[in-house]
Amino acid sequence: SAVISQKPSRDICQRGTSLTIQCQVDSQVTMMFWYRQQPGQSLTLIATANQGSEATYESGFVIDKFPISRPNLTFSTLTVSNMSPEDSSIYLCSVERPPFAGAVRYGYTFGSGTRLTVV
Amino acid sequence: ELKVEQNPLFLSMQEGKNYTIYCNYSTTSDRLYWYRQDPGKSLESLFVLLSNGAVKQEGRLMASLDTKARLSTLHITAAVHDLSATYFCAVDIFVGSNYKLTFGKGTLLTVNP
């Protein structure tokens, strides 16, 4: 499966500031995904990022709040803008590997996550 | 909109016991995933199920998929403490031009000695 390096692993930020999270994949992938996991909750898809095009945002998420860059096939960034305490969450990037017959596990691989606390 | 419901959400069991976690989903799909998440960690892929009747097993965990019933199960056999974690099922559906993964709320499993 793909190896994903995500950073920072955690940060504590002041409200009103912005944080950019980076995600680097060890090989080229078409789509990269950004998720949010609020404390004690499940994962919610923020947006899908294709190289060379605008990210596609899910309902409830907007580009002004969560701008995404995808400059090449191995890298993406998510910025959490004008942060408030409600943005305190774990943010994860993910990529998909095409399935192949007989494999027990494959599909989506997740980065190690960025634990964001806004104070 | 796809809904993915897991139950139970909390499961406390003793070592050596068996139990099943259920995952129901509301829209036709033939791609279902099970993940494990340890506290403060990212998601670890456990199984992917791609067809009706698919069954995958590894160690004390076995997952199955019934696409007609829109139901997947994760069965735990003779639980051990190391299995304590949160388990998520996630369903993949094709929306527009891409697949989109929707997660259940997760099952927090605690295995007690």
Side-chain angles (χ1 to χ4, degrees), chain A residues 40-78:
Chain A
Q41 303 296 314
S42 186
L43 281 77
T44 301
L45 180 64
I46 298 172
T48 301
N50 288 343
Q51 193 267 335
S53 64
E54 292 286 330
T56 302
Y57 289 83
E58 297 299 309
S59 176
F61 299 97
V62 295
I63 188 171
D64 289 345
K65 176 67 175 176
F66 297 101
I68 288 171
S69 76
R70 183 79 202 276
N72 57 53
L73 291 174
T74 63
F75 187 79
S76 179
T77 67
L78 170 76

Side-chain angles (χ1 to χ4, degrees), chain A residues 42 58 96 105-106 108 111, chain B residues 31 42 50 58 92 100 104:
Chain A
S42 186
E58 297 299 309
E96 185 191 12
R105 62 168 76 89
Y106 56 85
Y108 295 90
Chain B
R31 295 170 67 161
S42 186
L50 294 181
E58 189 154 322
D92 218 6
K100 174 184 170 182

Side-chain angles (χ1 to χ4, degrees), chain A residues 31 33 35 37 41-43 45 48 50 58 92 96 99 103-113 115, chain B residues 31 33 35 37 40-43 45-48 50 56 58 88 92 98-101 103-106:
Chain A
M31 291 188 294
F33 306 88
Y35 290 85
Q37 186 177 25
Q41 303 296 314
S42 186
L43 281 77
L45 180 64
T48 301
N50 288 343
E58 297 299 309
L92 300 104
E96 185 191 12
V104 174
R105 62 168 76 89
Y106 56 85
Y108 295 90
T109 302
F110 288 81
S112 54
R115 182 179 295 272
Chain B
R31 295 170 67 161
Y33 303 86
Y35 290 92
Q37 187 177 38
K41 304 292 186 182
S42 186
L43 275 73
S45 176
L46 293 175
F47 300 107
V48 58
L50 294 181
K56 299 278 182 70
E58 189 154 322
F88 292 97
D92 218 6
N98 298 315
Y99 274 95
K100 174 184 170 182
L101 198 61
F103 283 81
K105 292 189 175 184

